[in-house]
Amino acid sequence: MNQVLIFGTGSSAEKVLNNICTGNVDIIGYLDNSVKKQGILFHGVNVFPPEKCIEMEFDYILIASVKYEPITEELSGFGVPKEKILPYFSFRHNDYERYRGIIHIEGMVYDELQMEFEDIEKYIHNIDYEIASKLEKDKIQLPVIKSIDETIDEIIEKKLSISRYGDGEFDQIDGRREGYQEPDFLLSERLKEVLIKPVPGHIVGLADIYGDLSHLDKKYADYFRNVMLKYRQNHYRYIDMDRVYYNAFISRIYSEMKDKSKSKGWFEKTRKIWDGRDVVIVEGAFTRFGAGNTLLDNAGSVKRILCPSEGAFEKYQQILDTCCQFKKNVNLLFILALGPTATVLAYDLAKKGYQAVDIGHFDIEYEWYLRGVKEHKVIIEGKYVNEVAGGNNVTTQYNDEKYINEIINEII
C-alpha cells in the first residue's frame, strides 16, 4: 500500500480523487498553502501546511494543481526527493509508468485531453476579439483602453486618482471570491457604482485583456483567454463602450509582460507620481509596500495605515474615516494597496478632493524585477504574495526600523 500525500484541496483535487487507485493507495493527508484550509478535514482526511511533510513518512506527494512547477519547487525546498513528487497535470507521457498503481492512467489521459481541448476553445472563442483590436472591425465590441504610458502620464500631469479593475474585481461584482476578499453584496454594489458614475479628477483602469493579447507572456495571455471565454459578457454588462478607460496594468508592468525591456522605464516613470510628495500608504498588514527597496526613496515623506490583509472591506468605513482625517493639500498623495477595497477607496477619496492611486501589487512587481524573475513568480520574504504557493504565509515580525516608524495607524 502506497502512503500518499495530496497537495491541493480544490477542484483539481476532485479530479485526482476520481482517478486514484484506491486499492493500492492510502491517502494519509492533504497539503495546502491556504491557512484557512489547514487543520480541517477534506474527504475525511486532515489538511496540513506543506512544511508538515518534513515530519511525515510517505511514498509520494501527488500535486493536484495545474500550477505544479512552483509547488514542486516548494516541496524540493523542504528536501522532498524529486522521485517522490508526482504532478498530476505534468503531461509527460514517458513518465506515466511512475504513476501506475497510484493513478488510473486512462483517467489522467482523459483529463489531459480535456484541458487541451479547453485551451483550443479559448483560442477559438477569443480570436475575433484579438484580431479585431488590430484591424479595428466595427462589428466587434471592444472597450477603449489607453496605453500604460498614457495612463501614467495623465496621472502625473493632472494629479488624477485611479481605481483599477481586473478579473478579480469583476469576480467580486458577480459574487465570486477574489483572492483578498470573500463575496460581499455591498462591495459588489460599490464596485458597480465606481464603473458607471464618473467623478471629476478620477479615472477607471481596465485590464488590457479584451482584444489583442500579444503584449502578454503566453501563459498569462492563455489565462486571460480563459477568463474571457467564461466571463466576457459578464464584464461587458458593466463596461461603457462609449467611455475612455485607462490601463489597469500600470501595477503589473513586469511579470506578465512579454517584452520586459520596457519595465525599467515604466518603473522610473511611475515613481514620478509620488516624487517629492507626502505619501500615505493604505495597505494590508503584510503588504509592506516599498519597504526594503528603493521604490519610495524619492517621496517627500511616507506614512502608513495598516489594514486587514484579507477581508479589508469589513473595516471600510473606519479606513475611509481615518484617511479623511488628513488635511487636504496639493502635496498629499494616497497610495492604495488593498485589493478590491482600494478600488472603492480611491473613488471615495477622489469625491472628497484627495488624490488616491490604486496601485496594489506594484511593489511586488518591482521586487520581481529587481530579482530578474522570468519564468515563475516567487515568494518575497516578509511580504504578502497571494499569487504564489506559500506567499500568504508571512511572519508578523518585520524588523525594518524605517518601516515601523512610518506606521501611524493600524486598523486590524
Side-chain angles (χ1 to χ4, degrees):
M1 183 72 74
N2 291 291
Q3 305 292 299
V4 173
L5 288 164
I6 295 180
F7 199 120
T9 56
S11 58
S12 294
E14 301 291 348
K15 290 186 177 182
V16 173
L17 290 175
N18 286 337
N19 290 306
I20 207 84
C21 295
T22 54
N24 197 38
V25 170
D26 180 18
I27 300 173
I28 60 173
Y30 292 86
L31 306 176
D32 203 296
N33 278 303
S34 172
V35 176
K36 292 182 178 180
K37 293 184 177 181
Q38 294 163 9
I40 67 171
L41 295 179
F42 184 72
H43 286 271
V45 181
N46 286 312
V47 180
F48 302 104
E51 60 269 21
K52 183 70 175 178
C53 70
I54 300 171
E55 307 168 14
M56 304 176 74
E57 292 186 8
F58 57 88
D59 295 303
Y60 299 102
I61 297 179
L62 193 56
I63 300 177
S65 172
V66 293
K67 298 180 180 179
Y68 58 85
E69 296 103 330
I71 295 174
T72 300
E73 292 176 10
E74 183 180 4
L75 293 173
S76 297
F78 296 141
V80 179
K82 185 177 181 180
E83 61 270 16
K84 288 193 173 188
I85 303 173
L86 301 178
Y88 183 81
F89 295 99
S90 65
F91 309 126
R92 298 187 187 95
H93 290 270
N94 59 331
D95 281 348
Y96 282 166
E97 190 62 38
R98 298 173 58 210
Y99 295 75
R100 292 193 183 277
I102 307 296
I103 289 290
H104 293 296
I105 303 302
E106 65 276 10
M108 187 159 64
V109 171
Y110 174 83
D111 286 340
E112 172 190 353
L113 292 174
Q114 185 181 45
M115 289 189 66
E116 288 180 353
F117 281 126
E118 287 173 356
D119 282 342
I120 294 170
E121 187 181 9
K122 284 184 290 190
Y123 278 97
I124 293 172
H125 174 84
N126 216 50
I127 192 167
D128 280 350
Y129 294 92
E130 294 187 47
I131 294 174
S133 64
K134 291 182 177 180
L135 302 181
E136 299 182 356
K137 289 183 179 179
D138 293 334
K139 70 175 183 178
I140 299 293
Q141 278 195 315
L142 292 171
V144 179
I145 302 175
K146 292 201 173 189
S147 70
I148 290 173
D149 282 297
E150 289 172 319
T151 301
I152 299 170
D153 287 341
E154 292 211 30
I155 292 172
I156 295 169
E157 294 168 11
K158 300 179 182 178
K159 286 188 164 56
L160 298 175
S161 295
I162 183 170
S163 296
R164 295 178 306 107
Y165 283 75
D167 54 303
E169 282 67 35
F170 283 103
D171 283 345
Q172 277 291 327
I173 288 175
D174 286 333
R176 295 183 297 275
R177 176 180 169 83
E178 185 271 345
Y180 298 99
Q181 180 77 47
E182 292 288 348
D184 183 293
F185 175 77
L186 180 56
L187 176 56
S188 172
E189 293 302 303
R190 291 305 319 279
L191 287 170
K192 294 176 191 176
E193 177 188 348
V194 176
L195 271 174
I196 64 177
K197 294 184 179 179
V199 165
H202 174 269
I203 56 178
V204 172
L206 296 181
D208 191 6
I209 59 174
Y210 299 96
D212 177 32
L213 299 175
S214 62
H215 57 293
L216 298 176
D217 179 271
K218 182 182 181 302
K219 63 182 175 183
Y220 297 110
D222 282 348
Y223 168 80
F224 287 118
R225 287 185 180 106
N226 191 49
V227 171
M228 290 295 96
L229 173 64
K230 294 179 180 178
Y231 303 122
R232 181 183 293 273
Q233 296 311 315
N234 292 46
H235 290 209
Y236 277 18
R237 286 163 55 197
Y238 308 108
I239 294 174
D240 182 353
M241 294 298 173
D242 294 323
R243 183 176 178 181
V244 174
Y245 293 95
Y246 291 75
N247 207 307
F249 275 125
I250 60 169
S251 70
R252 294 179 179 270
I253 55 177
Y254 177 71
S255 67
E256 299 179 8
M257 293 295 155
K258 183 177 181 180
D259 181 5
K260 292 178 169 47
S261 66
K262 299 179 181 180
S263 300
K264 181 180 179 181
W266 282 333
F267 280 117
E268 291 175 351
K269 179 182 283 191
T270 303
R271 291 178 75 240
K272 293 179 182 178
I273 294 174
W274 51 81
D275 192 30
R277 306 283 295 276
D278 294 324
V279 172
V280 178
I281 301 172
V282 186
E283 61 180 353
F286 305 131
T287 301
R288 293 155 183 165
F289 187 101
N293 60 44
T294 60
L295 201 57
L296 298 169
D297 283 2
N298 63 321
S301 65
V302 177
K303 294 181 174 65
R304 297 176 186 270
I305 300 171
L306 304 191
C307 308
S309 292
E310 298 183 4
F313 194 72
E314 294 177 12
K315 300 291 182 75
Y316 183 74
Q317 193 58 51
Q318 187 179 353
I319 294 169
L320 177 62
D321 291 344
T322 301
C323 292
C324 291
Q325 291 175 9
F326 285 86
K327 185 177 181 181
K328 296 173 194 171
N329 67 80
V330 294
N331 213 41
L332 177 64
L333 172 71
F334 286 98
I335 292 178
L336 312 181
L338 205 58
T341 298
T343 308
V344 179
L345 185 60
Y347 178 78
D348 284 344
L349 287 173
K351 285 198 295 185
K352 293 179 180 295
Y354 297 97
Q355 185 186 6
V357 176
D358 166 18
I359 199 168
H361 213 270
F362 186 80
D363 172 66
I364 295 300
E365 287 283 298
Y366 189 59
E367 294 280 6
W368 287 331
Y369 163 76
L370 293 176
R371 288 161 173 75
V373 171
K374 300 293 184 185
E375 293 297 320
H376 306 300
K377 298 174 179 180
V378 300
I379 290 173
I380 303 299
E381 189 68 30
K383 296 188 177 186
Y384 186 107
V385 186
N386 76 316
E387 297 178 355
V388 179
N392 60 340
N393 297 327
V394 185
T395 176
T396 56
Q397 293 293 106
Y398 193 71
N399 299 318
D400 182 319
E401 188 174 347
K402 182 175 182 292
Y403 164 81
I404 293 170
N405 290 336
E406 291 168 350
I407 300 171
I408 59 169
N409 206 315
E410 296 186 49
I411 306 170
I412 306 298

